[in-house]
Amino acid sequence: MDLVLLAFFFIQILSTSSYDLLHNVMDYGATRGGLVDSTDAFLQAWKTACASKEQSGVFVPDGEFLVGICIFSGPCQSTNIQFQNQGTIIAPIDESNLMKSMSWLVFDSVNDLDIYGGKINARANSIWKCKRDKNNKNCQSGARSFTVRKGRNIKVRGLTSLNSNQAHVQIESCNIVHVSNVNIEAPKDSPNTDGIHVSRSRNVVIVDSNISTGDDCIAIIHRTVGLYVKNCKCGPGHGISIGSLGKYESKEDIVKNIKVEDVILKGTQNGVRIKTWAKGTSGLVQNITFHNITNANPSDCKSQIRLNANREIQIRLNRKSQIRSWPTADRESLLV
Ligand SMILES: *[C@@H]1O[C@H](CO)[C@@H](O)[C@H](O)[C@H]1NC(C)=O
Ligand SMILES: *[C@@H]1O[C@H](CO)[C@@H](O)[C@H](O)[C@H]1NC(C)=O
Ligand SMILES: *[C@@H]1O[C@H](CO)[C@@H](O)[C@H](O)[C@H]1NC(C)=O
């Protein structure tokens, strides 16, 4: 073998070796077609990948896979772990466990995690019907579709999430999370279907993503410190919201160091807003910048910075206008 060929061969090995040991869910008994439950196969593939000492992961090929509640838990042995999805993961429709559970697909206590590609579809419907009826007080809350919690150094790239029973993507108690090229869709009138919900996390970045839902595109709540949103599209939906704060947590409802820029809003109920509940708690909202927010469909929301009875500040836009930067120097922080 001549040197050039050898070098080429070597480069090939290097370039494919980053996640050599991807465990294909098919090898663990997953069934394509979306009719046969493949939860155990997914969990077994995860368990094996997580126990591996090398860079490792789970691979979901093309096709539709029916998967129930899945907790992919860590800590893992491997220093890097990937969840690569080329298929579509669908949830069981109206299964009572899923309705009662907090989340459907969960990555719990996993560090150095790369979640790449794929579609997930919670196929919600009856829970929306129930919640749309305001007189009906007995609706279940429904599971969030996709949760990363208690993890560090996590990437979520190219994920599509459809029709969640509740919030689509939840980031909770994490440090260093990079979300990019995510696409989230649910009907405009689907209740509580937040796009991305961030809480108790630090150093979160959300870029190049499109979110259309029936609730907040991005909700930034309790103890989120350090969040950067750039180049996202939002709408329909309720806009980008900090809060509600002070409603549930008795103390230290703190959100700070948030920057949201280059966002296009289209058909949103609100623009960007800060929602607080003025209950005399020791919360704090500080160092928030909204920059270059464009409203492409102005008739749907009103242009004003509004402070309501709950001391809720709402920044709304009704002309083809942009907020260059907010707050101004004299409004650098807001006590809630
Ligand atoms: C977001 O929408 C734009 C078109 O408006 C499209 O070019 C882009 O690929 C979409 N991004 C994702 C992540 O779906
Ligand atoms: C304000 O937030 C930005 C991130 O948006 C951060 O880079 C900066 O250090 C923060 N300023 C202070 C004084 O914490
Ligand atoms: C403002 O945001 C829009 C859309 O996200 C982007 O195309 C444009 O380049 C941004 N403008 C500036 C001055 O950065």
Side-chain angles (χ1 to χ4, degrees):
M1 206 185 286
D2 71 25
L3 257 165
V4 176
L5 200 62
L6 196 68
F8 177 73
F9 187 61
F10 192 61
I11 287 165
Q12 284 293 93
I13 290 177
L14 277 183
S15 63
T16 54
S17 67
S18 56
Y19 293 99
D20 265 349
L21 297 165
L22 284 178
H23 296 272
N24 190 328
V25 292
M26 299 298 282
D27 298 335
Y28 293 81
T31 309
R32 279 197 177 89
L35 296 175
V36 181
D37 187 290
S38 296
T39 312
D40 287 345
F42 275 62
L43 287 174
Q44 281 309 316
W46 173 262
K47 224 170 150 183
T48 313
C50 183
S52 162
K53 291 213 163 62
E54 335 260 331
Q55 294 196 332
S56 182
V58 170
F59 178 71
V60 182
D62 288 351
E64 217 169 45
F65 297 91
L66 178 65
V67 168
I69 293 167
C70 251
I71 317 276
F72 302 110
S73 48
C76 294
Q77 293 285 310
S78 45
T79 49
N80 279 292
I81 188 155
Q82 190 177 54
F83 187 91
Q84 194 185 121
N85 181 7
Q86 290 182 1
T88 300
I89 302 173
I90 60 176
I93 293 176
D94 294 343
E95 191 206 63
S96 66
N97 284 341
L98 194 64
M99 293 305 144
K100 280 185 237 149
S101 167
M102 292 291 284
S103 286
W104 171 34
L105 307 170
V106 183
F107 292 85
D108 188 358
S109 308
V110 185
N111 295 341
D112 306 305
L113 170 67
D114 180 19
I115 297 161
Y116 178 56
K119 219 181 242 185
I120 61 173
N121 187 350
R123 305 193 291 173
N125 191 8
S126 69
I127 200 159
W128 297 344
K129 274 192 194 128
C130 183
K131 289 181 182 176
R132 276 180 199 128
D133 177 3
K134 295 273 186 265
N135 298 324
N136 202 337
K137 301 282 179 233
N138 297 319
C139 306
Q140 276 163 318
S141 71
R144 291 160 176 153
S145 283
F146 178 96
T147 295
V148 285
R149 73 175 168 230
K150 296 182 183 159
R152 185 190 160 85
N153 194 18
I154 295 170
K155 285 189 206 127
V156 181
R157 302 181 287 150
L159 174 77
T160 293
S161 176
L162 307 175
N163 300 332
S164 183
N165 287 290
Q166 236 245 31
H168 285 78
V169 171
Q170 181 190 25
I171 297 167
E172 198 204 319
S173 304
C174 289
N175 188 8
I176 313 179
V177 182
H178 195 277
V179 177
S180 59
N181 293 96
V182 161
N183 185 39
I184 294 173
E185 286 174 46
K188 179 178 168 174
D189 63 345
S190 56
N192 305 131
T193 53
D194 284 348
I196 302 177
H197 200 273
V198 186
S199 63
R200 298 186 181 86
S201 294
R202 295 175 166 260
N203 308 309
V204 178
V205 172
I206 301 169
V207 294
D208 305 329
S209 295
N210 299 339
I211 304 170
S212 351
T213 67
D215 207 316
D216 293 328
C217 290
I218 300 176
I220 303 156
I221 61 166
H222 327 298
R223 287 181 251 171
T224 300
V225 178
L227 170 74
Y228 182 52
V229 176
K230 186 182 167 72
N231 194 29
C232 291
K233 290 203 174 75
C234 164
H238 291 185
I240 294 182
S241 305
I242 292 174
S244 301
L245 299 174
K247 187 176 178 183
Y248 305 109
E249 301 241 320
S250 57
K251 56 180 183 175
E252 296 195 38
D253 222 345
I254 294 170
V255 172
K256 58 183 184 177
N257 305 353
I258 311 290
K259 185 165 187 179
V260 178
E261 67 181 346
D262 303 345
V263 164
I264 299 179
L265 304 165
K266 198 168 185 182
T268 56
Q269 189 194 71
N270 311 290
V272 288
R273 56 179 177 162
I274 299 172
K275 302 197 288 176
T276 70
W277 283 76
K279 282 189 173 170
T281 59
S282 54
L284 177 69
V285 179
Q286 195 172 55
N287 186 18
I288 314 291
T289 305
F290 295 118
H291 177 250
N292 188 25
I293 312 292
T294 306
N295 191 0
N297 197 354
S299 61
D300 293 320
C301 67
K302 291 176 181 153
S303 176
Q304 51 186 317
I305 293 177
R306 208 181 72 162
L307 198 63
N308 69 12
N310 290 325
R311 296 206 325 192
E312 173 183 80
I313 288 185
Q314 300 195 329
I315 301 171
R316 301 173 176 213
L317 310 170
N318 74 357
R319 253 162 262 121
K320 194 152 182 125
S321 55
Q322 299 186 359
I323 296 175
R324 295 258 166 233
S325 192
W326 190 89
T328 51
D330 64 330
R331 282 215 194 92
E332 230 131 55
S333 61
L334 168 74
L335 291 164
V336 303

